[in-house]
Amino acid sequence: MDTPPFLDTNRPEVPNMVVSGGVMPFYLERSPVRGRLVRLGPLADAILSRHDNPDAVSRLGGEALALVAAMVSALKFKGAFSLQVKGDGPVSMLVADATDSGDLRFFARLREDTDRDALPGTAKELLGDGYMAFTIDQGPDMDRHQGIVDLTGTTLADMAMNYFQTSEQHDCWIRLFCAKSPDGWKAGALVLERIAAEGGIETTEQDEDAWETACTLAETVTEQEVLDPDLSNERLIHRLFGTLDVRLGTPRALAYGCRCNRARLASVLETFPDDDLDHMVENGAITMNCEFCNVGFRFTRDELGARSA
């Protein structure tokens, strides 16, 4: 007997891929600075290549994936961190999210009238004017925390730094990288955060100098270094910050993490009135595509009615 859709939690055929050292946390001894080096490895190509996006959009998507991977690794609880951008540019929507266990997913939506062969290069040109929203989801028993700011800056990193500065009053230095190589897409990030002084103690001049020095050294990092699979996390971090008594944390894994299944999509369809469902039927079935993993699911009207039968 076939499993009814609302009970079918099996995932579709997607890559079973884990990058064990995808995020390397670090901190500077006796300094108000902590950071994360993110390197998606083969995950970048596995996720981005499932979408038929122009290269400029895939590059932006790789940067978004690296950003949420860096942000979720700072959470102290089980949950998820998501980025959503809406604008009036050629890319009308971009969504990327990551769970505390490192599961990543992404999709971007282009306007129908977009000339895919003549897209601009910068994030601002692709997204236009709009807003950026970061959401922290701590599960069904907790309220979500969301912050929203206007899109300000040329790059996605600029926009993210503006968010943390204006919405969270939190100093961050962020660089995001994504490039297409003969081996496929590669993506990564380097993020520094300024830690608040313990016990509300006022920031000292020494703390200011330490933060500025760390940011200055971080500015020397190159895309080639971050995306080089032969350059280890440890070696790159020590190359950048070795003069500042850097300490490495425990590496975090990243994984291909679309969470769609027939049960989830069936529950969405069952919120529609019967007349709407009848109009959705084509060739005897309703087809829904997961925008994250680009997998199609087919449902017959009898299957969708099975729950209430």
Side-chain angles (χ1 to χ4, degrees):
M1 181 178 178
D2 293 335
T3 303
F6 64 89
L7 295 177
D8 188 354
T9 59
N10 290 322
R11 294 179 62 192
E13 291 295 328
V14 295
N16 183 15
M17 184 179 293
V18 176
V19 176
S20 58
V23 181
M24 175 60 80
F26 61 91
Y27 65 95
L28 304 184
E29 194 73 63
R30 297 179 298 279
S31 296
V33 182
R34 68 179 179 183
R36 273 97 66 207
L37 173 64
V38 178
R39 305 167 102 179
L40 270 62
L43 271 177
D45 193 67
I47 297 173
L48 297 175
S49 64
R50 292 188 74 86
H51 302 273
D52 182 24
N53 287 324
D55 284 356
V57 179
S58 293
R59 188 173 298 110
L60 185 63
E63 292 180 358
L65 286 166
L67 176 61
V68 296
M71 295 299 109
V72 79
S73 63
L75 298 182
K76 304 299 183 183
F77 48 80
K78 290 187 177 296
F81 188 98
S82 66
L83 162 69
Q84 183 181 93
V85 184
K86 286 188 176 181
D88 59 7
V91 179
S92 61
M93 178 181 289
L94 181 147
V95 178
D97 69 31
T99 67
D100 62 284
S101 58
D103 292 337
L104 297 173
R105 60 182 187 172
F106 149 83
F107 82 86
R109 188 177 298 158
L110 276 70
R111 299 190 183 281
E112 292 184 1
D113 58 352
T114 297
D115 184 351
R116 297 168 62 92
D117 297 323
L119 285 175
T122 69
K124 180 62 175 179
E125 292 169 330
L126 287 169
L127 297 168
D129 293 323
Y131 71 84
M132 165 182 283
F134 282 119
T135 304
I136 298 176
D137 187 348
Q138 301 182 58
D141 299 327
M142 299 288 289
D143 291 335
R144 291 185 176 186
H145 170 74
Q146 186 176 70
I148 301 175
V149 296
D150 292 335
L151 296 178
T152 301
T154 302
T155 68
L156 189 63
D158 292 336
M159 297 172 187
M161 286 190 290
N162 175 67
Y163 167 85
F164 286 108
Q165 184 65 48
T166 60
S167 181
E168 304 292 334
Q169 287 79 53
H170 181 52
D171 287 332
C172 284
W173 181 96
I174 299 171
R175 289 295 180 273
L176 306 171
F177 305 94
C178 184
K180 193 174 187 179
S181 74
D183 298 324
W185 287 100
K186 300 179 185 297
L190 181 62
V191 175
L192 300 182
E193 290 185 84
R194 183 170 180 169
I195 306 170
E198 295 184 6
I201 299 174
E202 188 175 346
T203 301
T204 66
E205 184 176 346
Q206 184 178 0
D207 290 338
E208 293 280 353
D209 290 342
W211 171 249
E212 292 179 6
T213 300
C215 292
T216 299
L217 293 176
E219 288 281 0
T220 66
V221 74
T222 66
E223 179 178 87
Q224 182 179 358
E225 288 176 313
V226 173
L227 303 185
D228 183 358
D230 296 323
L231 180 60
S232 70
N233 291 338
E234 296 82 359
R235 185 179 174 190
L236 177 52
I237 291 172
H238 280 288
R239 176 185 291 181
L240 292 169
F241 306 107
T243 60
L244 300 181
D245 204 7
V246 64
R247 296 287 185 268
L248 302 180
T250 303
R252 302 278 295 272
L254 297 174
Y256 191 103
C258 187
R259 301 184 290 281
C260 71
N261 55 50
R262 284 175 61 80
R264 286 178 181 269
L265 296 182
S267 67
V268 173
L269 286 173
E270 289 174 358
T271 64
F272 288 84
D274 286 341
D275 288 346
D276 289 348
L277 292 176
D278 291 338
H279 281 96
M280 295 180 193
V281 174
E282 293 185 4
N283 299 320
I286 297 173
T287 301
M288 288 189 71
N289 271 39
C290 172
E291 291 190 282
F292 288 103
C293 65
N294 203 26
V295 171
F297 295 82
R298 298 182 78 254
F299 303 90
T300 66
R301 282 295 282 113
D302 289 342
E303 285 179 320
L304 295 175
R307 190 170 191 176
S308 59

